[in-house]
Amino acid sequence: MFLHFQLNALSCITAAVLALAASMAQAQELQTVKIAHAGPTSGGIAHIGKDTENGVHLAIDELNAQNLVIGGKKIKFELVAEDDAGDPRQATAVAQKLCDSKVAGVVGHLQSGTTIPASTVYNKCGIPHITASATNPDLAKPGYKTSFRLIANDNALGAALAIFAHDALKLKRVAIIDDRTAYGQGVADVFKATARQKGMEVVGEEFTSDKATDFMAILTSIKSKKPDAIFFGGLDAQAGPMLRQMEQLGLSSVKFFGGDALCTEKLPELSSKAASLKNVTCATGGASLQKMQGGAEWKKRYDAKFPGQFQIYSPYAYDATFVLVDAMKRANSTDPKAYLPFIGKTQFKGVTANIAFTSQGELTKPAVTLYTYKNNVRVALN
């Protein structure tokens, strides 16, 4: 009887020890993997930067709900959010900080002027980054194997707008303004070249900055040249007041073209719902939310978590996060050196599109959508 009691007690102790060991092993197997978002969450376009950060945040929450096991370890993803303030020097500092903290991958940056210098830093430390928004073709020119883009570049955006201006609207005279950034100049140059190829006359060229708010002098100069349209290579933070000032100068009938960085949900607010808003045609590098294969359901989930914050790039930032993790799963490793080669072999069915990359990190099948604004709401034209 006593021996039986001892055996039972020993059995209970053994079971408790085994359970504790199993619990400790499980705890040891949990690995935190940091995925970073880098973009402007302060300053004039903080609303756009926050939107992309939200996209990464939503993706990480959904990935963590999957209880993934990679390389034999349970994975918990953690968002590391960094503000580059839309400044190239701050962007490179942020990139170095993320390298030093050994994040597994980066979604960012937002603008071409920040993404291009940051890409050099990521290339040196071997961390993959996917931009959901930067469109200047120069990003791909160095051939960095760490750089990827999830939308069409300026060659597609600027050309599509010029072709629409000539073929659909039959415009003949256009003036061009750019904000002297890598993005603004890049998309303006493509529009200008394509417009001239189509036989349109460029009657004036002006420039401003991505911090300016007063455009009366350059708009007055342009008005004297009687353009049918103005193309602006720049951000919604400048396009909004520019549209207001066009109205004040009697330019409300002049068409207004721009790329994806001004093609936001916030443009009506930034323009104070100016009458000139109805003349806007802008382009984004991807399908409209309504035509994305997972857009409608994704938007419901986004709005539930971040009500009233949607702008433009968050679906692409969401997909970029999933593309990084998809490569980790296929490599069975969260080590950037191990999973980086697998990004280039991506065949991923995302919310925005079926995603695959060229050898230069560009999408194999980029889409372009044109938008206008009706009753102060952005609507797709194609």
Side-chain angles (χ1 to χ4, degrees):
M1 184 68 138
F2 180 69
L3 179 60
H4 181 68
F5 175 77
Q6 284 184 313
L7 289 172
N8 281 342
L10 182 61
S11 177
C12 290
I13 292 169
T14 301
V17 170
L18 289 173
L20 180 61
S23 176
M24 291 176 66
Q26 286 179 351
Q28 288 171 345
E29 288 174 2
L30 182 65
Q31 179 182 356
T32 298
V33 176
K34 296 178 180 180
I35 295 179
H37 171 268
T41 50
S42 63
I45 54 169
H47 55 289
I48 306 178
K50 191 63 181 176
D51 179 49
T52 55
E53 183 184 302
N54 290 346
V56 179
H57 192 165
L58 180 61
I60 285 176
D61 285 350
E62 293 183 6
L63 285 162
N64 281 335
Q66 295 179 14
N67 296 313
L68 294 175
V69 175
I70 299 175
K73 298 178 181 179
K74 291 184 178 180
I75 302 298
K76 179 185 178 184
F77 294 103
E78 179 182 301
L79 171 62
V80 177
E82 291 290 343
D83 177 16
D84 68 16
D87 178 76
R89 286 177 295 181
Q90 191 161 326
T92 54
V94 163
Q96 189 59 57
K97 179 181 178 181
L98 294 174
C99 286
D100 294 343
S101 61
K102 301 189 186 310
V103 299
V106 179
V107 178
H109 295 227
L110 182 75
Q111 299 136 282
S112 298
T114 52
T115 305
I116 291 171
S119 69
T120 302
V121 180
Y122 297 129
N123 181 62
K124 286 178 180 176
C125 70
I127 292 179
H129 75 105
I130 305 178
T131 177
S133 51
T135 53
N136 192 308
D138 286 352
L139 174 63
K141 283 186 178 178
Y144 296 149
K145 298 304 180 184
T146 46
S147 296
F148 300 87
R149 185 186 342 248
L150 220 59
I151 60 171
N153 65 32
D154 289 338
N155 289 335
L157 297 180
L161 287 162
I163 291 167
F164 183 79
H166 180 269
D167 293 1
L169 301 182
K170 311 299 182 186
L171 304 181
K172 296 179 180 179
R173 296 165 58 82
V174 61
I176 295 174
I177 306 170
D178 75 72
D179 67 0
R180 298 284 95 174
T181 66
Y183 161 72
Q185 284 185 276
V187 72
D189 285 346
V190 175
F191 179 92
K192 178 173 62 176
T194 309
R196 284 177 169 161
Q197 288 171 8
K198 300 292 288 185
M200 297 173 68
E201 182 184 359
V202 177
V203 298
E205 295 183 60
E206 301 284 347
F207 65 89
T208 181
S209 80
D210 61 349
K211 305 293 188 296
T213 56
D214 184 357
F215 310 101
M216 295 298 278
I218 60 176
L219 289 173
T220 299
S221 174
I222 285 172
K223 181 180 179 180
S224 68
K225 295 165 185 174
K226 297 181 170 53
D228 300 320
I230 294 172
F231 179 89
F232 175 53
L235 310 171
D236 65 350
Q238 281 65 55
M242 192 178 291
L243 287 165
R244 290 200 309 269
Q245 290 161 38
M246 284 176 65
E247 186 176 351
Q248 292 167 14
L249 288 170
L251 292 167
S252 296
S253 63
V254 174
K255 302 297 184 184
F256 189 87
F257 291 86
D260 54 335
L262 66 81
C263 203
T264 65
E265 301 272 349
K266 198 176 179 68
L267 185 61
E269 176 190 333
L270 293 168
S271 69
S272 300
K273 300 179 180 178
S276 50
L277 186 68
K278 69 180 184 299
N279 292 320
V280 171
T281 303
C282 54
T284 65
S288 65
L289 194 64
Q290 293 75 19
K291 290 187 177 180
M292 288 178 189
Q293 54 197 11
E297 286 303 314
W298 177 89
K299 182 67 159 44
K300 289 178 184 176
R301 302 198 304 276
Y302 181 96
D303 287 342
K305 193 168 187 67
F306 307 106
Q309 295 185 47
F310 177 75
Q311 293 299 321
I312 182 171
Y313 299 121
S314 45
Y316 303 96
Y318 173 93
D319 270 359
T321 310
F322 270 85
V323 166
L324 290 172
V325 175
D326 175 67
M328 294 177 193
K329 288 160 64 177
R330 286 182 287 118
N332 200 31
S333 173
T334 60
D335 182 347
K337 291 185 180 64
Y339 87 81
L340 175 58
F342 287 80
I343 301 177
K345 301 173 185 176
T346 293
Q347 297 287 334
F348 182 75
K349 185 177 181 180
V351 169
T352 58
N354 292 332
I355 298 165
F357 297 108
T358 69
S359 59
Q360 288 77 41
E362 302 277 17
L363 287 178
T364 56
K365 296 180 180 179
V368 174
T369 300
L370 301 182
Y371 290 89
T372 189
Y373 291 82
K374 294 181 179 178
N375 300 318
N376 298 310
V377 175
R378 190 184 67 179
V379 294
L381 290 168
N382 62 326

